[in-house]
Amino acid sequence: MDIVTSQKLRFALPLFNALAVSLLILAIGSILYLGREIFVPFALAVLLSFSLAPIVNMLLWARVPSSLAIAGAVTTALVLIALVGYVILNQLSALATELPNYQTTMQRKIEGLASTTGSERGPIAGLVVMLNEMQEDLSNIGQARRQTADQAPNEQKPQPVTIAEETSPFSTVSGFVSPLLHPLATVGIVIIFSIFILAQREDLRNRFIRLAGTDDLQQTTAAIDDAARRLGKLLLTQLAINTAFGVVISLGLLVIGVPSPFLWGIIAGILRFVPYVGAVIGGALPLALAFAVDPGWSMAIWTVALFLVVEPVLGHIIEPLVYGHSSGLSPIAVILAAAIWALIWGPVGLILATPLTICLVVMGRYVQRLAVIDIMLGDRPALSPSQIFYQRMLGGATREAAGQARELLKERALATYYDEIALEGLRLAHEDVARFAVEGDRLETLRASTLGLVKSLETIESPVPKGGSLRPEAAAAADAVGPDTTFARIVRSPSELAPEWRGATPVVCIAGGDPLDLPIASMLGQVLTKHGLNAHVTTMKEVAQNPPTKADVEDVALVCLCFVEPLSTLHLRHTALQVHRVAPKAKVLIGIWRERDPEIVATLKNRLRVNAVVTTLNEALATIFEMSSDRVPAIAAAGEKAKAAQPALA
């Protein structure tokens, strides 16, 4: 009975946890919604503080007193906000004055589009006709109801009484000032909050460290300081870029001739804080005005062209150069955050959605207790690059894995990709194969997918990266694998090789009997070939079925034996002896790809009496480069230089 109860509790516990998390999310959402009058100004103040923090730090670095630095930064922000507000009001006033002049043009253009007379109708004539028919139907229904009501017995209906009140000057002023009180009060609260946050930021940082945990005070402090610095720089840079976007749009609309261009530029810059849809909405407003103002279509076409040119250039060229790889949010997280914050806080929440979510994700990357936020909303992959590789190979997603590999090869060498991602993923796979978790069709899919990946990368021109911008997954993988080794960026020419290494196929890679040995041997052969050492890949089974002749091994300078995990030391020694019997002139290199302990590797090398024992492709590449280098010409050249220098010395 106790066992049954424990099993029920074990299955029910995840359900209870999910229910508790859901209730917690609903509670937090309700609190944010009900307290939006307080939380919205506070959120604005936090973002303003992060944006002003770099300015305050620069002033403090210039030995400006703290109070003056904070006051100067806040005053600058207030002046800019007031200037933007003045421009908006001025442009709105001018637009309201000019709009009646465009009524005739707009009416004629709409009549031209929706014309229902003549032999041909306008593009939206069908919609207009349908709406007219619906209006007639509704009018008929209303008329029938009135007729029914008139046929009812006449009843004495109460006469409405209208009370006229005299308007006093005070009520007139109150009606004009009241709508401005709430925005002004919000601005005042934001400024006060910002001043206190900037003044008490060290104390607030210490309190946050206490909440995050003091187990590793040094690391937590460094992480939070780095997060605050990165976040402040990100928000300030985003503000600068969106401001530049607004300025360019304003000047462009001014040249095109759209009325109130600075108004639409400011609105476009503000709406651009809302990813994906913000720029579209910001472009739709001046486009509608251009449609109404211009009797023709040139102004509307030029307006569309302006946004279609400026937004892609800024979003796909300027922002990646300034931000780096991305803002840190996945596209789904951006849309989801925009929807949630707009639901809670309305239009202001829509504008604050991305900055607030960025704050949460950055904190989640540095604070362990908030890591779930980074996993759910961040743009970094939830799995390591090797785990993603293993998962894709299990699923047979060769094309997807090859695409990501080509993306990473813009910044990392081919040998680095194979070593740090593919080989690590196959080590994970070997562990599952060893405990019989992967076998049969799944093992064959894994093997075939990896071979297909290697074959698809055969078309790359060079194993050395040429640079380029990376997508988030590839950028995270590049950061995870680290820099390339020196040999991973070297390609040897035939003249740099020793004579015995200049044959058609100087290297032969022989895979062992494990299903994963052949994919790794193929990777090694491809890397060597791309770096100037032509390699032939085969298996022990093929060698046993078709034994090579002396003519076949005449040009072979090196034989690489590839094993994920060999059967035993005796097996390795026996295999190496067989290679020496068949190709006595060739050197022997053994790759044991699962072993990483250098002491065990050194012991194996002494026992096996082979030329080299390696565990990575980069190590194999460096060892083979050393074996194959043509040192004799270099020594001879040095000797000739020494002889030529002797008479001069005498």
Side-chain angles (χ1 to χ4, degrees), residues 20 26 111 174 184 189 202 204 266 310 315 480 616 633:
L26 289 175
E111 288 176 354
S174 177
L184 292 176
I189 295 173
E202 294 185 0
L204 293 175
I266 293 173
V310 175
T616 65

Side-chain angles (χ1 to χ4, degrees), residues 294-524:
D294 187 13
W297 294 94
S298 60
M299 186 178 292
I301 293 174
W302 280 111
T303 302
V304 172
L306 175 65
F307 279 88
L308 289 180
V309 171
V310 175
E311 172 59 25
V313 169
L314 197 64
H316 299 288
I317 298 178
I318 305 299
E319 280 187 346
L321 292 176
V322 176
Y323 290 158
H325 300 303
S326 70
S327 61
L329 301 180
S330 65
I332 295 178
V334 170
I335 298 174
L336 181 62
I340 292 175
W341 289 110
L343 178 65
I344 295 175
W345 287 347
V348 178
L350 189 65
I351 297 175
L352 295 178
T354 301
L356 288 177
T357 310
I358 288 175
C359 292
L360 295 176
V361 169
V362 171
M363 294 302 174
R365 290 184 180 178
Y366 289 96
V367 181
Q368 186 62 31
R369 297 181 183 180
L370 303 177
V372 64
I373 300 176
D374 182 32
I375 295 174
M376 297 300 295
L377 302 179
D379 64 343
R380 300 193 304 180
L383 301 176
S384 67
S386 58
Q387 290 173 333
I388 295 175
F389 175 86
Y390 179 29
Q391 181 268 331
R392 284 174 174 157
M393 294 300 98
L394 277 177
T398 304
R399 182 178 299 179
E400 183 180 353
Q404 291 298 328
R406 292 178 183 277
E407 187 75 14
L408 178 62
L409 292 178
K410 296 178 182 178
E411 291 291 337
R412 293 294 181 269
L414 179 64
T416 302
Y417 168 74
Y418 278 148
D419 254 346
E420 302 297 333
I421 296 180
L423 194 55
E424 288 293 336
L426 292 180
R427 289 191 181 102
L428 296 175
H430 179 71
E431 294 178 0
D432 289 343
V433 172
R435 61 188 181 90
F436 303 103
V438 175
E439 55 185 353
D441 293 340
R442 297 186 68 192
L443 179 57
E444 181 58 30
T445 300
L446 173 66
R447 178 178 177 275
S449 300
T450 309
L451 288 173
L453 171 68
V454 177
K455 184 178 180 180
S456 65
L457 295 182
E458 188 67 34
T459 57
I460 63 172
E461 297 179 359
S462 172
V464 180
K466 297 182 178 180
S469 59
L470 303 183
R471 296 175 183 175
E473 182 178 328
D479 294 337
V481 301
D484 296 326
T485 63
T486 303
F487 292 98
R489 291 177 175 262
I490 296 176
V491 177
R492 287 286 176 86
S493 62
S495 60
E496 296 176 316
L497 300 175
E500 64 271 18
W501 291 78
R502 297 176 185 176
T505 309
V507 182
V508 175
C509 301
I510 303 177
D514 191 279
L516 300 180
D517 287 343
L518 181 57
I520 301 177
S522 301
M523 295 177 191
L524 177 60

Side-chain angles (χ1 to χ4, degrees), residues 121 126-140:
R121 291 182 174 180
L127 178 61
V128 175
V129 171
M130 183 185 68
L131 293 176
N132 291 334
E133 292 176 353
M134 291 177 61
Q135 184 179 4
E136 291 178 2
D137 293 339
L138 293 175
S139 300
N140 294 334

Side-chain angles (χ1 to χ4, degrees), residues 619-638:
E619 188 180 354
L621 186 62
T623 303
I624 296 172
F625 269 171
E626 184 178 358
M627 292 179 181
S628 62
S629 62
D630 188 7
R631 299 181 179 179
V632 177
I635 296 174

